[in-house]
Amino acid sequence: MAGGTWKKQDKRQPGVYINVRSDMNPVTKLGERGVVAICEPLSWGPEGAISVLGPEDDYTPFIGYGKTETKARFLREIFKGSDRTAGPKQVLLYRPSGKEASRATAASDVINATARYTGTRGNDIRIAISTSGDAHTVQTLVGSEVMDTQEVSAASELVANDWVEFGEGNLTESAGIPLTGGTDGTVDASSHEAFLAALEGYMFNILIYDGADEAIQTLYFDFIKRMREGLGRKCQAVMAVTKSMDTEAIISAKNGVRLIDGSVITPQQATWWIGGAEAGASYNESLVYAQYPDAVDAEPVLTSAQIDEALTEGQIVFFREFGSVKVVSDINTLVTYSDEKNEVFSFNQVIRTVDTVANDVYKHFSINVIGKVQNDNASRDLIKTWIVGYLNEMQANGGIRNFSADDVSVEAGEAINAVVISIAIQPVTAIEKIYVTVSLTNE
């Protein structure tokens, strides 16, 4: 934890700063959040399409591995949440189509089988056959686990299951015929372009990029900027960038963590947890000093000077304190301030608040107002009444302060079918810096 004395209130790191001074002679839920999107190269699962997963869902149909397996770690980290905030409600998972990817197959006189999807996971499949007279028991195994069992008298009766599709064969006894030749292929920028094109039709809060390709990072930056400014869809992206992108739309991971099982989460992989935690946090919650579950240390450990530098560059930093690993400050990469966007826009809790208002107003008006309400004084008054009620609820929940009905105006626009709405709010943020003066007296 940062600490020390203070002369002026200019500290970068959250902490408790204490001056000891002598005054004696010296002796001694309003807006719903929680949707994450990610394009993840995988070894199994539907390709070129977005699948929707919840925290309680079985991962196997989507990625070919169960929740406890190493290949499922990215989803486990995304869904973790922090010690005081929830994880996401949904993950929009996109498996990109790998170039030159292939499906594993088994072709013999005994049986013909082809993996349902491309990828190396198909190489873990084998087909076992036991025969009794004219009856055959055909089992599909993945590793040592039986995934499907069928009783047939001929191969032509076999039906496709979640793992393989069958062809002709002369079924005979076999302990296990392996499928081979499955490959993942390669994923490039065009795969991410296809993902972003598919994602545009979905509502989400956080977009994760867990790679290090600067061209793809720029691709994501341009997409998020267009979503926020061009389409009015308020969202952010999380990635591990080497330099500040200088925007409230991008959250950057500086370092990673070491988990209790000894595995290291790199800065790129830390985007999984950051993305999930940022999406799961509400407008009245902050990730400042939020704990990363199951983490035992930062990786790498940064010095105080390095932490200050990272914060100046607008990066999320992990540090260890009192046996847990925490986020130093819940910030984004905005580091150049202006009259239009001052320092408060660098705090993600503020962005969550204003984004929540923007998304909720957008949704409400799209569903209940556009094309249904006449542009007259009475209708504009109703619109204002709804906005005021909505913001009063947000204020009651601690998301904004000092709000009154006078902070909302709804006026007729220049065009006969236009309305101009102005809303002024003061977001609330969590306490990050505590400046303390301890005065010693003789009394």
Side-chain angles (χ1 to χ4, degrees), residues 369-428:
V369 176
I370 294 178
K372 298 180 180 180
V373 175
Q374 299 302 307
N375 191 1
D376 54 29
N377 289 332
S379 296
R380 290 192 293 272
D381 287 343
L382 287 175
I383 291 173
K384 177 175 179 176
T385 298
W386 181 86
I387 295 173
V388 170
Y390 170 86
L391 293 175
N392 276 331
E393 183 177 353
M394 178 173 278
Q395 180 163 253
N397 290 337
I400 59 175
R401 61 183 178 178
N402 300 326
F403 172 75
S404 70
D406 293 337
D407 294 324
V408 178
S409 68
V410 181
E411 306 292 340
E414 294 180 0
I416 193 172
N417 59 352
V419 170
V420 177
I421 300 173
S422 297
I423 302 173
I425 58 173
Q426 296 181 37
V428 174

Short mmCIF file of all heavy atoms in Angstrom, two decimals, residues 369-428:
data_model
loop_
_atom_site.label_atom_id
_atom_site.label_comp_id
_atom_site.label_asym_id
_atom_site.label_seq_id
_atom_site.Cartn_x
_atom_site.Cartn_y
_atom_site.Cartn_z
N VAL A 369 -40.23 5.34 -26.99
CA VAL A 369 -40.48 6.72 -27.41
C VAL A 369 -40.48 6.89 -28.92
O VAL A 369 -41.45 7.41 -29.50
CB VAL A 369 -39.46 7.68 -26.75
CG1 VAL A 369 -39.66 9.10 -27.27
CG2 VAL A 369 -39.58 7.63 -25.25
N ILE A 370 -39.41 6.48 -29.58
CA ILE A 370 -39.27 6.78 -31.01
C ILE A 370 -40.41 6.15 -31.81
O ILE A 370 -40.67 4.95 -31.72
CB ILE A 370 -37.91 6.28 -31.53
CG1 ILE A 370 -36.78 7.09 -30.88
CG2 ILE A 370 -37.82 6.41 -33.05
CD1 ILE A 370 -35.40 6.65 -31.28
N GLY A 371 -41.10 6.99 -32.55
CA GLY A 371 -42.20 6.53 -33.38
C GLY A 371 -43.50 6.31 -32.64
O GLY A 371 -44.53 6.02 -33.27
N LYS A 372 -43.48 6.45 -31.32
CA LYS A 372 -44.69 6.17 -30.53
C LYS A 372 -45.23 7.39 -29.81
O LYS A 372 -46.40 7.41 -29.40
CB LYS A 372 -44.40 5.07 -29.51
CG LYS A 372 -43.99 3.74 -30.11
CD LYS A 372 -43.71 2.71 -29.03
CE LYS A 372 -43.31 1.37 -29.63
NZ LYS A 372 -43.01 0.35 -28.59
N VAL A 373 -44.38 8.40 -29.61
CA VAL A 373 -44.75 9.56 -28.81
C VAL A 373 -44.72 10.80 -29.69
O VAL A 373 -43.79 11.00 -30.47
CB VAL A 373 -43.79 9.73 -27.61
CG1 VAL A 373 -44.09 11.01 -26.85
CG2 VAL A 373 -43.89 8.53 -26.68
N GLN A 374 -45.75 11.65 -29.56
CA GLN A 374 -45.82 12.87 -30.35
C GLN A 374 -44.87 13.93 -29.78
O GLN A 374 -44.61 13.99 -28.58
CB GLN A 374 -47.25 13.41 -30.34
CG GLN A 374 -48.27 12.46 -30.94
CD GLN A 374 -47.93 12.11 -32.38
OE1 GLN A 374 -47.74 12.99 -33.22
NE2 GLN A 374 -47.85 10.82 -32.67
N ASN A 375 -44.37 14.79 -30.67
CA ASN A 375 -43.43 15.83 -30.25
C ASN A 375 -44.21 17.08 -29.85
O ASN A 375 -44.27 18.08 -30.58
CB ASN A 375 -42.45 16.14 -31.39
CG ASN A 375 -41.30 17.01 -30.93
OD1 ASN A 375 -41.21 17.37 -29.76
ND2 ASN A 375 -40.41 17.35 -31.85
N ASP A 376 -44.80 17.01 -28.65
CA ASP A 376 -45.52 18.16 -28.13
C ASP A 376 -45.10 18.39 -26.69
O ASP A 376 -44.34 17.61 -26.10
CB ASP A 376 -47.04 17.97 -28.23
CG ASP A 376 -47.52 16.67 -27.59
OD1 ASP A 376 -46.87 16.21 -26.62
OD2 ASP A 376 -48.53 16.12 -28.04
N ASN A 377 -45.60 19.46 -26.09
CA ASN A 377 -45.17 19.82 -24.74
C ASN A 377 -45.48 18.72 -23.73
O ASN A 377 -44.66 18.41 -22.86
CB ASN A 377 -45.85 21.12 -24.30
CG ASN A 377 -45.30 22.34 -25.04
OD1 ASN A 377 -44.15 22.33 -25.46
ND2 ASN A 377 -46.13 23.37 -25.19
N ALA A 378 -46.64 18.13 -23.82
CA ALA A 378 -47.03 17.10 -22.86
C ALA A 378 -46.10 15.89 -22.95
O ALA A 378 -45.67 15.34 -21.92
CB ALA A 378 -48.47 16.68 -23.10
N SER A 379 -45.77 15.49 -24.16
CA SER A 379 -44.90 14.32 -24.33
C SER A 379 -43.48 14.62 -23.87
O SER A 379 -42.82 13.77 -23.25
CB SER A 379 -44.90 13.89 -25.80
OG SER A 379 -46.19 13.46 -26.19
N ARG A 380 -43.02 15.84 -24.15
CA ARG A 380 -41.67 16.20 -23.70
C ARG A 380 -41.61 16.25 -22.18
O ARG A 380 -40.60 15.91 -21.56
CB ARG A 380 -41.23 17.51 -24.33
CG ARG A 380 -40.96 17.39 -25.83
CD ARG A 380 -40.25 18.62 -26.37
NE ARG A 380 -41.09 19.81 -26.33
CZ ARG A 380 -41.92 20.19 -27.31
NH1 ARG A 380 -42.01 19.43 -28.41
NH2 ARG A 380 -42.63 21.28 -27.20
N ASP A 381 -42.70 16.67 -21.56
CA ASP A 381 -42.75 16.66 -20.09
C ASP A 381 -42.69 15.23 -19.55
O ASP A 381 -42.04 14.96 -18.52
CB ASP A 381 -44.03 17.34 -19.59
CG ASP A 381 -43.98 18.86 -19.76
OD1 ASP A 381 -42.87 19.39 -19.94
OD2 ASP A 381 -45.06 19.49 -19.70
N LEU A 382 -43.35 14.31 -20.24
CA LEU A 382 -43.31 12.91 -19.82
C LEU A 382 -41.89 12.35 -19.95
O LEU A 382 -41.43 11.59 -19.10
CB LEU A 382 -44.29 12.09 -20.66
CG LEU A 382 -45.78 12.28 -20.35
CD1 LEU A 382 -46.62 11.48 -21.35
CD2 LEU A 382 -46.10 11.86 -18.92
N ILE A 383 -41.22 12.71 -21.04
CA ILE A 383 -39.84 12.27 -21.22
C ILE A 383 -38.97 12.78 -20.07
O ILE A 383 -38.16 12.03 -19.49
CB ILE A 383 -39.29 12.74 -22.58
CG1 ILE A 383 -40.00 12.01 -23.72
CG2 ILE A 383 -37.79 12.54 -22.66
CD1 ILE A 383 -39.65 12.53 -25.10
N LYS A 384 -39.12 14.05 -19.73
CA LYS A 384 -38.33 14.61 -18.62
C LYS A 384 -38.66 13.92 -17.31
O LYS A 384 -37.75 13.61 -16.52
CB LYS A 384 -38.59 16.11 -18.51
CG LYS A 384 -37.84 16.74 -17.32
CD LYS A 384 -37.98 18.25 -17.26
CE LYS A 384 -37.22 18.79 -16.05
NZ LYS A 384 -37.24 20.28 -15.99
N THR A 385 -39.93 13.65 -17.09
CA THR A 385 -40.33 12.97 -15.85
C THR A 385 -39.65 11.62 -15.73
O THR A 385 -39.19 11.24 -14.64
CB THR A 385 -41.86 12.81 -15.81
OG1 THR A 385 -42.48 14.09 -15.82
CG2 THR A 385 -42.29 12.06 -14.56
N TRP A 386 -39.58 10.87 -16.83
CA TRP A 386 -38.93 9.57 -16.78
C TRP A 386 -37.44 9.72 -16.46
O TRP A 386 -36.89 8.99 -15.62
CB TRP A 386 -39.09 8.82 -18.10
CG TRP A 386 -38.43 7.47 -18.06
CD1 TRP A 386 -38.97 6.31 -17.60
CD2 TRP A 386 -37.08 7.16 -18.43
NE1 TRP A 386 -38.04 5.29 -17.67
CE2 TRP A 386 -36.88 5.78 -18.18
CE3 TRP A 386 -36.04 7.91 -18.95
CZ2 TRP A 386 -35.66 5.15 -18.43
CZ3 TRP A 386 -34.81 7.28 -19.20
CH2 TRP A 386 -34.64 5.91 -18.95
N ILE A 387 -36.77 10.65 -17.12
CA ILE A 387 -35.34 10.84 -16.90
C ILE A 387 -35.08 11.25 -15.46
O ILE A 387 -34.16 10.73 -14.80
CB ILE A 387 -34.78 11.90 -17.87
CG1 ILE A 387 -34.89 11.41 -19.31
CG2 ILE A 387 -33.32 12.21 -17.54
CD1 ILE A 387 -34.51 12.47 -20.34
N VAL A 388 -35.87 12.18 -14.94
CA VAL A 388 -35.68 12.63 -13.56
C VAL A 388 -35.88 11.47 -12.58
O VAL A 388 -35.09 11.28 -11.64
CB VAL A 388 -36.64 13.78 -13.23
CG1 VAL A 388 -36.64 14.10 -11.74
CG2 VAL A 388 -36.26 15.03 -14.03
N GLY A 389 -36.91 10.66 -12.79
CA GLY A 389 -37.13 9.51 -11.93
C GLY A 389 -35.98 8.52 -11.99
O GLY A 389 -35.55 7.98 -10.96
N TYR A 390 -35.49 8.29 -13.19
CA TYR A 390 -34.36 7.38 -13.38
C TYR A 390 -33.12 7.88 -12.64
O TYR A 390 -32.45 7.13 -11.91
CB TYR A 390 -34.08 7.26 -14.88
CG TYR A 390 -32.80 6.55 -15.24
CD1 TYR A 390 -32.76 5.17 -15.36
CD2 TYR A 390 -31.64 7.27 -15.47
CE1 TYR A 390 -31.58 4.52 -15.70
CE2 TYR A 390 -30.45 6.62 -15.81
CZ TYR A 390 -30.43 5.25 -15.93
OH TYR A 390 -29.27 4.61 -16.25
N LEU A 391 -32.81 9.16 -12.78
CA LEU A 391 -31.61 9.71 -12.14
C LEU A 391 -31.78 9.84 -10.64
O LEU A 391 -30.80 9.74 -9.89
CB LEU A 391 -31.26 11.05 -12.78
CG LEU A 391 -30.80 10.96 -14.24
CD1 LEU A 391 -30.59 12.35 -14.83
CD2 LEU A 391 -29.51 10.14 -14.35
N ASN A 392 -32.99 10.06 -10.17
CA ASN A 392 -33.22 10.06 -8.72
C ASN A 392 -32.91 8.69 -8.13
O ASN A 392 -32.36 8.58 -7.03
CB ASN A 392 -34.67 10.46 -8.42
CG ASN A 392 -34.87 11.97 -8.40
OD1 ASN A 392 -33.94 12.72 -8.09
ND2 ASN A 392 -36.08 12.42 -8.73
N GLU A 393 -33.29 7.64 -8.86
CA GLU A 393 -32.98 6.30 -8.39
C GLU A 393 -31.48 6.06 -8.38
O GLU A 393 -30.94 5.47 -7.44
CB GLU A 393 -33.67 5.26 -9.26
CG GLU A 393 -33.47 3.82 -8.79
CD GLU A 393 -34.21 2.80 -9.63
OE1 GLU A 393 -35.00 3.22 -10.50
OE2 GLU A 393 -33.99 1.59 -9.41
N MET A 394 -30.79 6.52 -9.43
CA MET A 394 -29.34 6.39 -9.46
C MET A 394 -28.69 7.14 -8.30
O MET A 394 -27.74 6.66 -7.69
CB MET A 394 -28.80 6.89 -10.80
CG MET A 394 -27.28 6.83 -10.91
SD MET A 394 -26.65 7.23 -12.57
CE MET A 394 -26.87 5.64 -13.38
N GLN A 395 -29.22 8.31 -7.99
CA GLN A 395 -28.68 9.08 -6.87
C GLN A 395 -28.93 8.36 -5.54
O GLN A 395 -28.06 8.32 -4.67
CB GLN A 395 -29.30 10.48 -6.83
CG GLN A 395 -28.79 11.35 -5.70
CD GLN A 395 -29.10 12.82 -5.92
OE1 GLN A 395 -28.22 13.61 -6.22
NE2 GLN A 395 -30.37 13.20 -5.77
N ALA A 396 -30.11 7.76 -5.40
CA ALA A 396 -30.42 7.01 -4.18
C ALA A 396 -29.49 5.82 -4.01
O ALA A 396 -29.19 5.42 -2.87
CB ALA A 396 -31.88 6.54 -4.21
N ASN A 397 -29.01 5.28 -5.12
CA ASN A 397 -28.08 4.15 -5.06
C ASN A 397 -26.62 4.57 -4.94
O ASN A 397 -25.72 3.73 -4.97
CB ASN A 397 -28.24 3.28 -6.31
CG ASN A 397 -29.56 2.53 -6.32
OD1 ASN A 397 -30.17 2.31 -5.28
ND2 ASN A 397 -30.02 2.16 -7.51
N GLY A 398 -26.38 5.86 -4.84
CA GLY A 398 -25.01 6.34 -4.63
C GLY A 398 -24.19 6.49 -5.88
O GLY A 398 -22.97 6.61 -5.81
N GLY A 399 -24.84 6.52 -7.05
CA GLY A 399 -24.08 6.65 -8.29
C GLY A 399 -23.78 8.08 -8.68
O GLY A 399 -22.76 8.36 -9.31
N ILE A 400 -24.69 9.02 -8.32
CA ILE A 400 -24.50 10.44 -8.60
C ILE A 400 -24.88 11.23 -7.36
O ILE A 400 -25.46 10.69 -6.41
CB ILE A 400 -25.34 10.90 -9.82
CG1 ILE A 400 -26.83 10.65 -9.57
CG2 ILE A 400 -24.88 10.21 -11.08
CD1 ILE A 400 -27.74 11.20 -10.67
N ARG A 401 -24.56 12.53 -7.38
CA ARG A 401 -24.88 13.37 -6.24
C ARG A 401 -25.36 14.74 -6.72
O ARG A 401 -25.15 15.13 -7.87
CB ARG A 401 -23.66 13.54 -5.34
CG ARG A 401 -22.49 14.21 -6.04
CD ARG A 401 -21.28 14.31 -5.15
NE ARG A 401 -20.15 14.92 -5.86
CZ ARG A 401 -18.97 15.15 -5.31
NH1 ARG A 401 -18.75 14.79 -4.05
NH2 ARG A 401 -18.01 15.73 -6.01
N ASN A 402 -26.00 15.47 -5.81
CA ASN A 402 -26.42 16.86 -6.04
C ASN A 402 -27.35 17.00 -7.25
O ASN A 402 -27.39 18.04 -7.89
CB ASN A 402 -25.22 17.79 -6.22
CG ASN A 402 -24.31 17.80 -5.01
OD1 ASN A 402 -24.78 17.68 -3.88
ND2 ASN A 402 -23.01 17.94 -5.25
N PHE A 403 -28.08 15.94 -7.57
CA PHE A 403 -28.96 16.01 -8.73
C PHE A 403 -30.31 16.59 -8.34
O PHE A 403 -30.85 16.31 -7.27
CB PHE A 403 -29.16 14.62 -9.32
CG PHE A 403 -30.22 14.58 -10.39
CD1 PHE A 403 -29.96 15.09 -11.65
CD2 PHE A 403 -31.48 14.06 -10.13
CE1 PHE A 403 -30.94 15.08 -12.63
CE2 PHE A 403 -32.47 14.05 -11.10
CZ PHE A 403 -32.20 14.56 -12.36
N SER A 404 -30.87 17.42 -9.24
CA SER A 404 -32.23 17.92 -9.08
C SER A 404 -32.90 17.92 -10.45
O SER A 404 -32.24 17.81 -11.49
CB SER A 404 -32.24 19.33 -8.49
OG SER A 404 -31.74 20.27 -9.43
N ALA A 405 -34.19 18.07 -10.44
CA ALA A 405 -34.95 18.04 -11.69
C ALA A 405 -34.52 19.15 -12.65
O ALA A 405 -34.64 19.01 -13.87
CB ALA A 405 -36.44 18.16 -11.39
N ASP A 406 -34.00 20.25 -12.11
CA ASP A 406 -33.55 21.35 -12.96
C ASP A 406 -32.33 20.99 -13.80
O ASP A 406 -31.98 21.73 -14.73
CB ASP A 406 -33.23 22.58 -12.10
CG ASP A 406 -34.47 23.17 -11.44
OD1 ASP A 406 -35.57 22.94 -11.97
OD2 ASP A 406 -34.33 23.85 -10.41
N ASP A 407 -31.69 19.86 -13.48
CA ASP A 407 -30.52 19.44 -14.25
C ASP A 407 -30.90 18.73 -15.54
O ASP A 407 -30.02 18.28 -16.28
CB ASP A 407 -29.64 18.50 -13.40
CG ASP A 407 -29.02 19.22 -12.21
OD1 ASP A 407 -28.66 20.40 -12.37
OD2 ASP A 407 -28.90 18.59 -11.14
N VAL A 408 -32.18 18.60 -15.81
CA VAL A 408 -32.66 17.96 -17.04
C VAL A 408 -33.54 18.93 -17.80
O VAL A 408 -34.44 19.57 -17.22
CB VAL A 408 -33.48 16.68 -16.72
CG1 VAL A 408 -34.02 16.06 -18.02
CG2 VAL A 408 -32.63 15.68 -15.97
N SER A 409 -33.27 19.08 -19.09
CA SER A 409 -34.16 19.87 -19.94
C SER A 409 -34.49 19.06 -21.19
O SER A 409 -33.62 18.38 -21.74
CB SER A 409 -33.52 21.20 -20.33
OG SER A 409 -32.41 21.00 -21.19
N VAL A 410 -35.74 19.13 -21.60
CA VAL A 410 -36.20 18.45 -22.81
C VAL A 410 -36.91 19.49 -23.66
O VAL A 410 -38.00 19.98 -23.29
CB VAL A 410 -37.14 17.28 -22.48
CG1 VAL A 410 -37.58 16.58 -23.76
CG2 VAL A 410 -36.46 16.30 -21.54
N GLU A 411 -36.30 19.86 -24.78
CA GLU A 411 -36.83 20.92 -25.62
C GLU A 411 -37.07 20.42 -27.05
O GLU A 411 -36.47 19.44 -27.49
CB GLU A 411 -35.84 22.10 -25.67
CG GLU A 411 -35.43 22.64 -24.31
CD GLU A 411 -36.57 23.33 -23.58
OE1 GLU A 411 -37.54 23.72 -24.26
OE2 GLU A 411 -36.49 23.47 -22.33
N ALA A 412 -37.93 21.11 -27.76
CA ALA A 412 -38.15 20.81 -29.17
C ALA A 412 -36.90 21.16 -29.96
O ALA A 412 -36.24 22.18 -29.70
CB ALA A 412 -39.35 21.60 -29.69
N GLY A 413 -36.54 20.31 -30.91
CA GLY A 413 -35.38 20.57 -31.75
C GLY A 413 -35.72 21.46 -32.92
O GLY A 413 -36.85 21.94 -33.06
N GLU A 414 -34.73 21.73 -33.76
CA GLU A 414 -34.95 22.58 -34.92
C GLU A 414 -35.88 21.94 -35.93
O GLU A 414 -36.69 22.62 -36.56
CB GLU A 414 -33.60 22.91 -35.57
CG GLU A 414 -32.69 23.76 -34.67
CD GLU A 414 -31.37 24.07 -35.35
OE1 GLU A 414 -31.18 23.62 -36.50
OE2 GLU A 414 -30.53 24.75 -34.73
N ALA A 415 -35.76 20.63 -36.10
CA ALA A 415 -36.66 19.92 -37.01
C ALA A 415 -37.96 19.59 -36.27
O ALA A 415 -37.99 19.45 -35.04
CB ALA A 415 -36.01 18.65 -37.52
N ILE A 416 -39.03 19.45 -37.01
CA ILE A 416 -40.34 19.22 -36.40
C ILE A 416 -40.41 17.88 -35.67
O ILE A 416 -41.21 17.70 -34.75
CB ILE A 416 -41.44 19.28 -37.49
CG1 ILE A 416 -42.82 19.37 -36.84
CG2 ILE A 416 -41.34 18.10 -38.46
CD1 ILE A 416 -43.94 19.63 -37.83
N ASN A 417 -39.53 16.95 -36.06
CA ASN A 417 -39.54 15.62 -35.44
C ASN A 417 -38.37 15.39 -34.50
O ASN A 417 -38.03 14.26 -34.18
CB ASN A 417 -39.55 14.54 -36.51
CG ASN A 417 -38.34 14.63 -37.43
OD1 ASN A 417 -37.57 15.58 -37.36
ND2 ASN A 417 -38.18 13.63 -38.29
N ALA A 418 -37.74 16.47 -34.03
CA ALA A 418 -36.54 16.34 -33.19
C ALA A 418 -36.78 16.86 -31.78
O ALA A 418 -37.57 17.78 -31.56
CB ALA A 418 -35.37 17.10 -33.83
N VAL A 419 -36.08 16.24 -30.84
CA VAL A 419 -36.09 16.65 -29.44
C VAL A 419 -34.64 16.79 -28.98
O VAL A 419 -33.80 15.95 -29.32
CB VAL A 419 -36.84 15.63 -28.55
CG1 VAL A 419 -36.63 15.94 -27.08
CG2 VAL A 419 -38.32 15.63 -28.87
N VAL A 420 -34.35 17.83 -28.23
CA VAL A 420 -33.00 18.04 -27.69
C VAL A 420 -33.07 17.89 -26.18
O VAL A 420 -33.83 18.58 -25.50
CB VAL A 420 -32.46 19.44 -28.06
CG1 VAL A 420 -31.09 19.65 -27.43
CG2 VAL A 420 -32.36 19.58 -29.58
N ILE A 421 -32.25 16.97 -25.66
CA ILE A 421 -32.24 16.68 -24.22
C ILE A 421 -30.88 17.04 -23.65
O ILE A 421 -29.83 16.68 -24.20
CB ILE A 421 -32.54 15.20 -23.97
CG1 ILE A 421 -33.91 14.83 -24.53
CG2 ILE A 421 -32.46 14.88 -22.48
CD1 ILE A 421 -34.22 13.35 -24.46
N SER A 422 -30.88 17.76 -22.54
CA SER A 422 -29.65 18.08 -21.82
C SER A 422 -29.74 17.50 -20.41
O SER A 422 -30.75 17.69 -19.72
CB SER A 422 -29.43 19.59 -21.75
OG SER A 422 -29.25 20.13 -23.05
N ILE A 423 -28.68 16.79 -20.00
CA ILE A 423 -28.65 16.19 -18.67
C ILE A 423 -27.32 16.54 -18.02
O ILE A 423 -26.25 16.38 -18.62
CB ILE A 423 -28.78 14.65 -18.74
CG1 ILE A 423 -30.08 14.25 -19.43
CG2 ILE A 423 -28.69 14.03 -17.35
CD1 ILE A 423 -30.19 12.75 -19.67
N ALA A 424 -27.38 17.05 -16.81
CA ALA A 424 -26.17 17.35 -16.05
C ALA A 424 -26.13 16.46 -14.81
O ALA A 424 -27.08 16.44 -14.03
CB ALA A 424 -26.14 18.82 -15.64
N ILE A 425 -25.04 15.71 -14.66
CA ILE A 425 -24.91 14.83 -13.49
C ILE A 425 -23.51 14.96 -12.91
O ILE A 425 -22.56 15.33 -13.61
CB ILE A 425 -25.19 13.35 -13.83
CG1 ILE A 425 -24.24 12.86 -14.93
CG2 ILE A 425 -26.63 13.15 -14.22
CD1 ILE A 425 -24.34 11.36 -15.19
N GLN A 426 -23.40 14.66 -11.63
CA GLN A 426 -22.11 14.61 -10.94
C GLN A 426 -21.88 13.18 -10.45
O GLN A 426 -22.44 12.79 -9.43
CB GLN A 426 -22.08 15.57 -9.76
CG GLN A 426 -22.22 17.03 -10.13
CD GLN A 426 -22.15 17.92 -8.91
OE1 GLN A 426 -21.40 17.66 -7.96
NE2 GLN A 426 -22.94 18.99 -8.92
N PRO A 427 -21.09 12.37 -11.16
CA PRO A 427 -20.85 11.00 -10.72
C PRO A 427 -20.10 10.96 -9.39
O PRO A 427 -19.33 11.87 -9.05
CB PRO A 427 -19.99 10.41 -11.84
CG PRO A 427 -20.26 11.28 -13.03
CD PRO A 427 -20.48 12.65 -12.46
N VAL A 428 -20.34 9.92 -8.64
CA VAL A 428 -19.63 9.67 -7.38
C VAL A 428 -18.56 8.62 -7.64
O VAL A 428 -18.78 7.67 -8.39
CB VAL A 428 -20.61 9.17 -6.29
CG1 VAL A 428 -19.85 8.78 -5.03
CG2 VAL A 428 -21.65 10.25 -5.99
#
